């Protein structure tokens, strides 16, 4: 029977058993993050390259970018923000490299970021949004406990997860 720590590590691994880690953006990894590219059919839902999200984080003043590493390799990007108007934390800008799709990286990223945000003292709810036609994203987020709020953000469905549900 796995211990709590073993279970946490298992939940943050991809289907190949690689530990999925969220790293700060550094001088050593930013180029790899900028080059992250989704599959061609996902480009109507997310940016064509991680570079766009890095620029939003650097120039927009709201979002915080993180590198996604599976094992020793940068395989993705995700960002988060805090909305001080309603006290919610947001997940956005998640891209997993095309060749890493279908390996459980996205699920591990969302779980890792939920844990990271839930550990913040002011975090009570995590939100995200996805395009209504993005069925894989809708399934992933629903399977992790996110529920549509009825709100939209830039024509995307807003879904929320209470931090008590995340624990």
């Amino acid at each position: 029977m796995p211990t709590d720590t073993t279970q946490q590590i298992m939940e943050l691994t991809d289907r190949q058993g690689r530990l999925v880690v969220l790293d700060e953006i550094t001088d050593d990894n930013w180029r790899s993050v900028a080059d992250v590219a989704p599959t061609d059919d996902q480009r109507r839902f997310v940016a064509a390259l991680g570079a766009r999200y890095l620029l939003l984080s650097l120039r927009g003043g709201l979002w915080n970018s993180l590198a996604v590493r599976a094992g020793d390799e940068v395989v993705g990007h995700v960002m988060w923000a805090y909305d001080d108007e309603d006290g919610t934390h947001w997940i956005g800008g998640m891209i997993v490299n095309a060749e890493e799709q279908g390996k459980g990286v996205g699920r591990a990223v969302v779980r890792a970021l939920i844990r990271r945000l839930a550990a913040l003292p002011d975090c009570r709810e995590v939100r995200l949004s996805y395009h209504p036609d993005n069925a894989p994203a809708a399934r992933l987020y629903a399977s992790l406990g996110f529920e549509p709020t009825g709100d939209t953000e830039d024509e995307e469905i807003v879904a929320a997860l209470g931090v008590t549900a995340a624990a």
Side-chain angles (χ1 to χ4, degrees), residues 61-118:
L62 176 66
W63 292 98
N64 302 280
S65 281
L66 296 167
V68 175
R69 187 171 38 86
D72 294 329
E73 183 180 350
V74 171
V75 298
H77 170 276
V78 68
M79 58 190 186
W80 67 274
Y82 176 71
D83 184 341
D84 57 5
E85 288 183 21
D86 65 8
T88 59
H89 288 77
W90 284 77
I91 296 175
M94 185 171 76
I95 303 178
V96 175
N97 261 335
E99 61 272 5
E100 297 293 331
Q101 297 283 322
K103 297 179 181 177
V105 174
R107 176 176 299 280
V109 168
V110 175
R111 284 185 169 174
L113 190 49
I114 289 168
R115 286 193 181 151
R116 184 178 186 142
L117 296 175

Side-chain angles (χ1 to χ4, degrees), residues 4-162:
D4 286 343
T5 303
T6 303
Q7 184 63 34
Q8 288 176 356
I9 290 171
M10 288 171 47
E11 289 178 356
L12 302 179
T13 57
D14 65 11
R15 291 187 189 117
Q16 295 180 323
R18 297 176 300 175
L19 186 62
V20 175
V21 177
L22 304 179
D23 287 331
E24 299 299 321
I25 304 298
T26 66
D27 290 343
D28 294 329
N29 68 13
W30 75 267
R31 285 177 180 86
S32 296
V33 175
D35 290 339
V36 168
T39 60
D40 289 341
D41 63 325
Q42 292 173 331
R43 291 179 186 200
R44 67 186 196 129
F45 305 127
V46 296
L49 290 172
R52 176 172 171 78
Y53 294 127
L54 284 175
L55 285 171
L56 282 172
S57 292
L58 290 172
R59 306 301 285 171
L62 176 66
W63 292 98
N64 302 280
S65 281
L66 296 167
V68 175
R69 187 171 38 86
D72 294 329
E73 183 180 350
V74 171
V75 298
H77 170 276
V78 68
M79 58 190 186
W80 67 274
Y82 176 71
D83 184 341
D84 57 5
E85 288 183 21
D86 65 8
T88 59
H89 288 77
W90 284 77
I91 296 175
M94 185 171 76
I95 303 178
V96 175
N97 261 335
E99 61 272 5
E100 297 293 331
Q101 297 283 322
K103 297 179 181 177
V105 174
R107 176 176 299 280
V109 168
V110 175
R111 284 185 169 174
L113 190 49
I114 289 168
R115 286 193 181 151
R116 184 178 186 142
L117 296 175
L120 298 173
D122 58 347
C123 185
R124 59 180 176 74
E125 184 176 76
V126 177
R127 291 184 172 207
L128 48 76
S129 66
Y130 57 90
H131 192 279
D133 294 338
N134 192 346
R139 282 191 303 273
L140 170 64
Y141 301 139
S143 75
L144 293 171
F146 283 89
E147 296 181 2
T149 64
D151 295 331
T152 59
E153 183 78 25
D154 296 328
E155 299 178 12
E156 293 190 338
I157 296 168
V158 173
L161 175 71

